[in-house]
Amino acid sequence: MKTRYSRQELFLGKESQKKVESGSVIIIGAGALGSSSAEMLARAGVGKLTIVDRDYVEWSNLQRQQLYSEADVRDKLPKAFAAKKRLEQINSGIDINSLIEDVHGLNIEEMIKGHDVILDATDNFETRLIVNDAAVKHDIPFIMGACVSSYGSTFPVIPNVTPCLHCLLNHLPVDGMTCETVGVISPIVQMVTATQVTYALKILTGAQISPVLRSLDMWKDEKAEIDLTRLKNSHCPTCGEQPTYPYLKFENQMKSDVLCGRDAVQIRPATSRVFELNVFMDRLKGNATNLLINPFLLSCVFGEFRIVFFRDGRAIVHGTHDKRIARSVYSRLLQYYSA
Amino acid sequence: MKFQLNGKQVELPEVVDSVGELLAHYQLQSRIAVVEVNKEIVMKEEYETKRLFNGDIVEIIHFVGGG
């Protein structure tokens, strides 16, 4: 056991190794990025790891989500639980917490408290912006990471130093490209998490990080780096001089309500905007059936669900009374709007 | 037009002479992206007016959802 971290300690130094061992990291999401970074951090001996995920393990995860096994799929284990089980086999000397929860603006602050670093392993922008608000509010570095296909990007949000994600975005993108419809190969996952975990180790040991947005396409062999210092916005509602942390506010949460007796769930998006229903309908052709449009709404059958989508982004998902399923179907449908 | 884009030499049609046109060429106009031309970040409001010239060094990083 004494030699367990010897190679890392030779590189980092004794003092820094101690800092790693007394450090704590929370990973938001336990899919591909979350599995990969959790394993590296557990092996590195980070004292406390918290893993948050709302989903369970499926066959299509095994190609890249390295903590899971066929048995986890058969047992339909929640990812956070299965991840903890595997990580404890890898390193029994650290404290591993799993939270089987859906992250939203009203629970994120409680989750991140007491951690030194937050790693982004979510699969959508809405959640990233929520975590970003909480990270800046509680002054905890937040390492963004994302990937699809063979492309990935990273950016370290260091509160009071770098711009935050909100500085970069004028509005909440509905572009929800996720691995589910676009596909992804595992090497890009490893490249993104290699960068994220390096940042995490640097933060834990007190090393400096530059505010550089990095992207990489493994297949096309392209990479880019942009220093984002100039984008720090002093009027940013999250990290500016008068922050309001909009994504943590109750009224800005995506809301879903089960419609009693109708086997349907109503979804109301976090931010209001006007959708061009004609454009949406064109993009849905071939991906949805029974398309019908009027000046107020668009109706279609998408997979096994009938969806009625209103101009303001509100929707009713028929065929389920499970809010989680409805939200997921809603997000998948919206991908076509900006595809 | 010849640029260095994300570290690679590319040759694009002559109509691609602004940041806006470049984003459209790569179908990134509805995406959240950060664009840098010759080491200067181009703000969103300048996308249509920011002209591009042969030999410019351009970096585009767009945001994706997955993880």
Side-chain angles (χ1 to χ4, degrees), chain B residues 3-56:
Chain B
F3 310 115
Q4 182 181 311
L5 179 64
N6 292 357
K8 275 188 167 174
Q9 296 298 327
V10 294
E11 188 160 357
L12 299 178
E14 288 299 315
V15 292
V16 182
D17 63 352
S18 69
V19 169
E21 290 289 344
L22 183 66
L23 289 171
H25 182 82
Y26 288 102
Q27 295 172 340
L28 291 172
Q29 67 273 50
S30 68
R31 296 266 161 79
I32 301 298
V34 179
V35 182
E36 190 186 71
V37 178
N38 302 326
K39 291 280 166 198
E40 282 283 325
I41 292 178
V42 181
M43 302 309 252
K44 260 203 172 88
E45 310 80 66
E46 304 160 1
Y47 281 0
E48 299 311 318
T49 52
K50 176 69 183 178
R51 295 291 304 269
L52 292 175
F53 300 96
N54 277 313
D56 277 349

Side-chain angles (χ1 to χ4, degrees), chain A residues 284-296:
Chain A
L284 279 172
K285 280 175 188 161
N287 299 299
T289 56
N290 298 61
L291 285 157
L292 184 149
I293 193 169
N294 70 32
F296 315 103

Side-chain angles (χ1 to χ4, degrees), chain A residues 34-209:
Chain A
S35 307
S36 171
S37 54
E39 178 161 347
M40 277 191 271
L41 292 167
R43 288 185 189 276
V46 171
K48 178 180 153 191
L49 280 183
T50 302
I51 295 157
V52 191
D53 197 281
R54 64 181 175 191
D55 213 350
Y56 59 88
V57 185
E58 294 181 278
W59 285 106
S60 64
N61 302 149
L62 299 183
Q63 160 254 359
R64 67 196 179 285
Q65 302 187 13
Q66 66 194 63
L67 293 177
Y68 310 126
S69 68
E70 295 183 357
D72 297 332
V73 178
R74 281 192 289 268
D75 297 341
K76 271 202 174 355
L77 290 186
K79 287 184 180 178
F81 178 85
K84 176 179 158 77
K85 180 171 66 88
R86 173 66 184 139
L87 293 168
E88 282 172 345
Q89 292 172 342
I90 290 170
N91 192 345
S92 59
I94 59 172
D95 183 13
I96 300 162
N97 307 303
S98 68
L99 301 173
I100 305 164
E101 283 187 57
D102 188 16
V103 168
H104 52 72
L106 306 178
N107 64 5
I108 182 67
E109 292 183 70
E110 206 48 54
M111 287 178 186
I112 63 167
K113 272 183 192 162
H115 293 87
D116 301 314
V117 182
I118 305 166
L119 284 198
D120 170 23
T122 62
D123 60 3
N124 66 83
F125 259 107
E126 192 191 10
T127 310
R128 282 192 182 101
L129 288 168
I130 291 168
V131 180
N132 178 69
D133 264 13
V136 171
K137 186 173 174 186
H138 293 272
D139 197 12
I140 304 173
F142 170 49
I143 315 299
M144 188 214 83
C147 60
V148 287
S149 332
S150 57
Y151 175 91
S153 58
T154 56
F155 181 68
V157 175
I158 314 290
N160 304 313
V161 178
T162 67
C164 75
L165 286 194
H166 203 154
C167 294
L168 315 183
L169 312 173
N170 291 347
H171 58 270
L172 184 70
V174 281
D175 164 49
M177 278 217 307
T178 73
C179 301
E180 202 168 343
T181 46
V182 182
V184 60
I185 54 170
S186 64
I188 190 60
V189 173
Q190 303 297 336
M191 294 302 287
V192 168
T193 57
T195 307
Q196 287 183 291
V197 170
T198 306
Y199 284 140
L201 292 174
K202 282 184 150 186
I203 291 165
L204 291 176
T205 57
Q208 289 296 308
I209 290 180

